[in-house]
Amino acid sequence: VFLKKLVIAIDGPAAAGKSTTAKLAAQRLGYLYVDTGAMYRAMTLKVLRHGIDLIDEEKISELATQTEVRLENDIGGVRVFLDKQDVTDAIRSPDVTNAVSAVSSYRKVREVMIREQRRMGERGGIVLEGRDIGTVVFPDADLKIYMVANVSERAKRRQEDLKKQGVNATLSDVIVGIQERDLKDSERNISPLRKAEDAIIIDTSDLTIDEQVETIVRKVKEILRQQS
């Protein structure tokens, strides 16, 4: 149905609804969904498995150059492969969550992951979500979305996610965690979280998932109409 295969970049802070929306929009469009956060989580998992200190940039950088992270569409969603091993579930552990900001802040780690992301997007037909897709990874993306939501709404969503993983956290603790993550992400020296100038802002605080997906699919159709 859709003619040209677009590159769609979705950025925004933690728990703004990027992952679910990007995943479902990709399914609707028949595109590959790339959760860049999952790629950094896979790298972080490898660092933890190797027992490397999180402040040892040199060792982590060296490890990154010997790492392959791949994403594949699967009936149940997207599977994450670290050096050909399926780590889709392992990367969601609280240990990885706590360490991923540190690992993903290193220049070499980002270089390796960005290279992999660009490789996957060479032929278009891809929806990527993260913190720096529209600004760094694909500054020429066909469509750039910046998703936001208020902190309490984001905390509720994150708390739900944690509950599903069997982790009970108080709302106030989750709010503090999200605020700390926002600060870390936006103050990073390399690829900080920021909105691309030509990105369309979608505030998801009061939107259902379906409404978020519909907004993106509608934008894609508009672009394709203009191009045809």
Side-chain angles (χ1 to χ4, degrees):
V1 205
F2 302 102
L3 309 161
K4 181 180 181 261
K5 298 257 187 210
L6 306 184
V7 171
I8 302 167
I10 300 179
D11 290 306
K18 300 185 302 292
S19 302
T20 312
T21 301
K23 198 183 298 174
L24 294 171
Q27 281 173 6
R28 283 270 304 271
L29 297 162
Y31 283 13
L32 173 68
Y33 158 61
V34 175
D35 173 0
T36 61
M39 297 175 73
Y40 287 105
R41 282 173 171 272
M43 184 67 228
T44 303
L45 179 67
K46 187 169 179 176
V47 168
L48 295 175
R49 285 179 173 176
H50 278 72
I52 298 172
D53 195 317
L54 293 178
I55 58 173
D56 194 337
E57 181 171 358
E58 201 178 325
K59 273 195 180 152
I60 290 174
S61 300
E62 193 186 331
L63 191 67
T65 61
Q66 307 152 19
T67 301
E68 182 199 53
V69 177
R70 251 182 335 106
L71 303 183
E72 280 182 17
N73 269 342
D74 181 62
I75 296 163
V78 175
R79 310 301 298 174
V80 183
F81 293 89
L82 170 65
D83 301 325
K84 303 198 168 35
Q85 183 197 9
D86 189 333
V87 293
T88 309
D89 298 327
I91 62 169
R92 297 295 164 190
S93 75
D95 286 349
V96 170
T97 300
N98 293 334
V100 68
S101 262
V103 173
S104 60
S105 70
Y106 296 130
R107 185 179 296 279
K108 193 72 207 168
V109 171
R110 300 199 79 81
E111 278 173 12
V112 170
M113 295 300 142
I114 287 169
R115 187 192 67 211
E116 299 282 292
Q117 289 155 22
R118 285 180 178 153
R119 201 168 49 83
M120 288 189 273
E122 273 167 5
R123 290 187 301 281
I126 192 168
V127 181
L128 303 99
E129 58 97 353
R131 307 278 195 281
D132 62 350
I133 311 304
T135 51
V136 175
V137 186
F138 283 102
D140 300 327
D142 300 289
L143 174 62
K144 297 178 192 176
I145 303 283
Y146 193 80
M147 289 177 76
V148 295
N150 61 52
V151 170
S152 58
E153 182 57 41
R154 288 161 59 203
K156 274 186 239 157
R157 294 172 187 171
R158 179 49 52 90
Q159 192 183 32
E160 279 299 310
D161 290 345
L162 288 168
K163 205 176 276 176
K164 285 176 194 155
Q165 295 168 30
V167 179
N168 283 317
T170 66
L171 198 60
S172 55
D173 281 350
V174 179
I175 287 174
V176 168
I178 280 181
Q179 288 170 331
E180 282 174 359
R181 182 72 192 268
D182 283 352
L183 198 64
K184 263 189 210 164
D185 284 341
S186 52
E187 289 185 345
R188 268 202 321 242
N189 292 327
I190 301 155
S191 300
L193 167 69
R194 59 191 169 85
K195 184 184 95 63
E197 281 178 12
D198 53 348
I200 296 160
I201 295 178
I202 299 179
D203 187 333
T204 68
S205 304
D206 302 315
L207 294 181
T208 65
I209 297 291
D210 286 343
E211 287 167 335
Q212 293 169 36
V213 173
E214 194 48 55
T215 304
I216 291 169
V217 172
R218 205 170 51 238
K219 297 280 179 207
V220 170
K221 287 178 176 171
E222 275 170 29
I223 292 169
L224 291 171
R225 261 201 305 276
Q226 286 161 8
Q227 290 180 354
S228 60

